[in-house]
Amino acid sequence: MAKLKNVSVLIVSLICLAVLIVMLMFAKSVRSSDASVSYTELLTDTLSKIVSACPGEIGVAVIINGSDTVAVNNKSIYPMMSVFKVHQAIAVCHDFDQRGLSLDSLMTVKREELNPETWSPMMKEHLEPVITLPVRDLLRYTLVQSDNNASNLMFERLVNTVETDRFIATLIPRSSFQIAYTESEMQADHDKAYSNYTSPLGAAMLMNRLFTDSLVSPEKQGFIKNTLGECTTGKDRIVAPLLGKEGITVAHKTGSGYTTEEGLLVAHNDVAYICLPNGVCYTLAVFVKDFKGNEPQAARVIAHISATVYSILAHYFEHA
C-alpha cells in the first residue's frame, strides 16, 4: 500500500509539473499571439489548472503593484499555522505604540516555563535558567525562525489571541481570517489548528498593507518588514525559484502543519512580498490544506506556483 501511495503521489507531482511547463510555454507566447488576454486572466487560468491537478486543497492569491488582484480557491478555510506570527507581530507593535513602549523592553522567563517539546531555536541558543530578552528579539525569533515558545510567551504576557484577532480585523476583512488559539494550544489539540484560519487573499492583503501602508509606527513597521526579509524557514517554497536571480528581494513567512494518522498534511503555507528589478512588486500567498503527500512534495507545488507567477509577471512587465 505504501508503494502504491508513493507512486500515486509521484504521478500527481508529475502532472503538476507538466501543467506548469505547458502554462509557462503559453505565458511566453501570449502577448504576441493574443493581446486581448490580460495578465490577470492568464494568471487565474494558469493557477487554476495547476492547483486542480494537485492532491490537496490549494488556495492562491496575488496582489500586483498594490492593485491588480488574482485569487484562486479563495475560501476562509486554510489553517494558518505559523503564518499568524505576522499578525501577532503587527498586533504587538500596535499595542506597544499605544502604550508608548519600545521593542527594547525586556521580558524575563524561567527556562522551566518553556516547552522543550516544541520548535524553539530560542531554547537552544539560551541555556541559562532565567532568560531575559528584549521583545525585539522575541519577535525576531518568531518571524525569522518561527519560534513557538517566543510566540506563546508574547500571547500569554503581551497581546493575547482575542486582542490580536480584534486588531487585525481592523486591517483586513473580518470574514477572511480568525485567530483563536496559541501554538501551545494547537500542539495539545491538533484539531484547533483549523480554527486559526485564513483565506489566501486575507493573508495577502495583510502582507501587502504591511509593505505599502502605514499600520504601526515607522520604526516598528520597518523592523517587521526587515525581519521578514531575513526569514530562514521554507526556502524550498515561494523563495526557491527566485534564489540567485539578481535584483529580486523577498520577505516572507511560512506556516507548517502536522500529518494526520490518515497521512494527510494538514497545512503547508507561505506568504511573501516580492519586488523585481524593474520596480514591479507583488504579494503572493499560497496555502496548502489536507495534502496527500509529504512536506517536500507540498513545497514543490508552492515553488511551482511561485515560478509560474514570477514567469508571467516578469514577461508581461519586461518592457515596463
Side-chain angles (χ1 to χ4, degrees):
M1 291 297 292
K3 289 184 178 179
L4 288 175
K5 178 182 177 182
N6 290 337
V7 170
S8 176
V9 170
L10 176 60
I11 291 173
V12 175
S13 297
L14 290 173
I15 291 173
C16 289
L17 181 58
V19 170
L20 172 67
I21 292 171
V22 170
M23 296 312 295
L24 287 178
M25 292 175 63
F26 177 59
K28 290 181 180 179
S29 62
V30 67
R31 289 187 72 184
S32 58
S33 62
D34 186 359
S36 66
V37 177
S38 71
Y39 76 92
T40 54
E41 292 172 323
L42 175 58
L43 276 171
T44 301
D45 187 53
T46 305
L47 296 175
S48 296
K49 287 180 171 61
I50 293 175
V51 303
S52 66
C54 294
E57 191 151 12
I58 302 176
V60 185
V62 191
I63 302 174
I64 306 98
N65 289 332
S67 57
D68 292 339
T69 301
V70 170
V72 175
N73 288 346
N74 187 49
K75 294 174 281 186
S76 300
I77 59 170
Y78 298 91
M80 278 194 279
M81 306 311 298
S82 288
V83 167
F84 80 166
K85 289 166 182 167
V86 175
H87 304 59
Q88 179 181 32
I90 296 171
V92 167
C93 287
H94 169 73
D95 177 71
F96 271 40
D97 281 343
Q98 295 297 104
R99 295 195 285 152
L101 298 177
S102 166
L103 294 182
D104 294 319
S105 301
L106 297 178
M107 288 189 66
T108 298
V109 61
K110 294 179 181 178
R111 185 176 179 81
E112 63 193 40
E113 296 178 72
L114 301 176
N115 182 2
E117 303 301 323
T118 193
W119 172 251
S120 185
M122 178 178 70
M123 281 198 77
K124 295 179 181 179
E125 295 175 11
H126 291 275
L127 304 180
E128 58 269 28
V130 178
I131 301 171
T132 300
L133 291 171
V135 173
R136 183 184 305 275
D137 285 2
L138 295 175
L139 288 170
R140 186 178 295 280
Y141 272 120
T142 64
L143 296 177
V144 175
Q145 296 176 279
S146 208
D147 193 290
N148 291 337
N149 272 316
S151 175
N152 289 330
L153 183 61
M154 289 188 290
F155 273 138
E156 291 165 7
R157 298 194 187 176
L158 298 180
V159 184
N160 63 34
T161 54
V162 173
E163 293 164 335
T164 298
D165 182 85
R166 184 185 303 125
F167 175 64
I168 298 301
T170 68
L171 305 179
I172 59 176
R174 166 72 278 172
S175 61
S176 70
F177 82 103
Q178 175 178 279
I179 297 173
Y181 297 108
T182 66
E183 289 282 6
S184 61
E185 291 172 317
M186 288 189 290
Q187 183 181 16
D189 182 355
H190 287 170
D191 286 342
K192 288 182 176 178
Y194 289 95
S195 294
N196 281 354
Y197 60 75
T198 189
S199 68
L201 186 56
M205 288 174 66
L206 185 65
M207 183 70 86
N208 191 73
R209 288 202 65 187
L210 177 64
F211 281 84
T212 63
D213 201 353
S214 177
L215 306 183
V216 295
S217 62
E219 185 274 330
K220 292 182 178 67
Q221 188 158 331
F223 166 76
I224 297 174
K225 291 158 61 176
N226 291 337
T227 304
L228 288 171
E230 300 169 9
C231 179
T232 60
T233 61
K235 293 290 189 180
D236 57 350
R237 303 180 208 181
I238 287 176
V239 176
L242 307 176
L243 289 172
K245 295 187 183 297
E246 188 175 355
I248 294 180
T249 61
V250 183
H252 73 119
K253 182 72 193 78
T254 57
S256 303
Y258 59 92
T259 301
T260 68
E261 294 180 358
E262 294 74 30
L264 291 179
L265 181 60
V266 168
H268 210 63
N269 313 321
D270 204 357
V271 182
Y273 187 78
I274 302 156
C275 286
L276 306 183
N278 60 6
V280 174
C281 293
Y282 62 97
T283 305
L284 172 61
V286 185
F287 286 82
V288 178
K289 175 188 175 186
D290 296 341
F291 185 80
K292 297 176 183 177
N294 57 34
E295 288 192 342
Q297 290 163 339
R300 283 197 288 273
V301 173
I302 297 175
H304 290 339
I305 290 170
S306 177
T308 301
V309 174
Y310 166 73
S311 178
I312 292 175
L313 293 182
H315 177 76
Y316 187 88
F317 289 102
E318 64 182 344
H319 301 300

